[in-house]
Amino acid sequence: SIVLSVLLGHYANGQSNTFEATVGCLQYNTNSGYNYAHPYFASGSFRNLQVNRNGVRLMRMGVLGNNDGHIRLAPVQFPYDGTVMNEIVLSGWNNTKTVVRRYTRTAPGTHTGQVELKAQSSIGMMSQFEPLMFTMAVYPDGTVQLTHDRDSRPFLEFQDATLSANYVGFCNWDVPLVFFYDCPLEDEQNFCEGGVVLKKKYEETTCVKNGSNGVIE
């Protein structure tokens, strides 16, 4: 067999293309603002959704822009009839603070009963030049963890027993944003020409080509 070593996203001169992290993702662009009727996507239809043996749902996604990446988690596709739901504000307030909320939404632009579940500093976390990529883990008890690519510990964690992530929506605040969703998980196998990548993305990986018997060796 022939073994080829490749370095995804990194090059011999030390430079890298961080946008390679978005390969295989779907994309949603928005400059419509907070009160617009943004679409909600059924997480159960995501091609790359994984559910582990403990019932934890894993979804990889990302956002590109200067500030205020809003992620909305809802039980239904049109959460406008007194729907209790959650909203994660990634690096709002001029790219300085991340907040998690629960509220009851009554229309695209109105909600009531807002409760702040988490608030923490995130100065400079978002950028218009480099996508912020992470995996969202949703536990059966309502615990949610967001973990940056290549990190092992979550940068955001909260818990809400009422939470449902059946549908996921995205919106901006005052600057245009690009959201990436339904992305391949970091530890998924990735096919390369004539073989399969056997290790994680963004690390040195090995592409093992088919032997003469047609079996991956």
Side-chain angles (χ1 to χ4, degrees):
S1 63
I2 301 173
V3 179
L4 302 177
S5 292
V6 297
L7 196 62
L8 296 181
H10 297 269
Y11 302 92
N13 59 7
Q15 296 180 336
S16 64
N17 180 1
T18 57
F19 285 87
E20 289 188 359
T22 67
V23 171
C25 300
L26 299 180
Q27 182 174 324
Y28 177 65
N29 307 327
T30 178
N31 192 26
S32 301
Y34 186 81
N35 294 322
Y36 179 74
H38 296 275
Y40 288 80
F41 306 101
S43 61
S45 67
F46 288 177
R47 304 158 302 166
N48 296 295
L49 171 71
Q50 288 193 11
V51 182
N52 68 20
R53 66 183 63 186
N54 296 316
V56 181
R57 307 173 78 183
L58 301 173
M59 299 177 285
R60 185 166 168 266
M61 59 188 70
V63 60
L64 177 72
N66 281 334
N67 53 268
D68 285 273
H70 290 67
I71 303 172
R72 292 171 175 169
L73 305 176
V76 295
Q77 184 176 8
F78 302 102
Y80 308 130
D81 302 310
T83 306
V84 178
M85 56 183 292
N86 294 84
E87 182 175 273
I88 302 169
V89 184
L90 292 175
S91 225
W93 294 270
N94 198 29
N95 203 10
T96 63
K97 184 169 69 170
T98 291
V99 166
V100 181
R101 307 162 171 157
R102 179 180 65 236
Y103 53 62
T104 300
R105 184 162 289 280
T106 55
T110 59
H111 61 270
T112 62
Q114 179 170 296
V115 177
E116 186 176 283
L117 303 176
K118 184 93 174 194
Q120 63 186 47
S121 296
S122 56
I123 299 172
M125 186 172 72
M126 287 182 57
S127 170
Q128 64 177 321
F129 303 113
E130 179 177 350
L132 171 67
M133 303 299 297
F134 54 90
T135 295
M136 176 184 292
V138 182
Y139 289 74
D141 68 352
T143 297
V144 176
Q145 296 175 336
L146 272 58
T147 304
H148 287 131
D149 280 10
R150 290 170 284 175
D151 283 353
S152 58
R153 294 185 177 182
F155 69 89
L156 176 67
E157 182 172 355
F158 66 95
Q159 197 271 340
D160 184 357
T162 69
L163 181 140
S164 171
N166 290 341
Y167 289 84
V168 181
F170 308 101
C171 82
N172 68 308
W173 181 254
D174 60 346
V175 296
L177 297 179
V178 178
F179 289 93
F180 305 97
Y181 67 100
D182 193 9
C183 302
L185 295 179
E186 277 199 291
D187 58 355
E188 285 184 339
Q189 288 186 337
N190 292 272
F191 289 97
C192 56
E193 185 176 356
V196 63
V197 175
L198 297 180
K199 295 183 181 179
K200 283 188 177 182
K201 296 179 184 178
Y202 311 113
E203 297 177 359
E204 189 171 355
T205 58
T206 301
C207 178
V208 182
K209 288 197 171 183
N210 291 341
S212 58
N213 59 1
V215 178
I216 299 293
E217 298 180 352

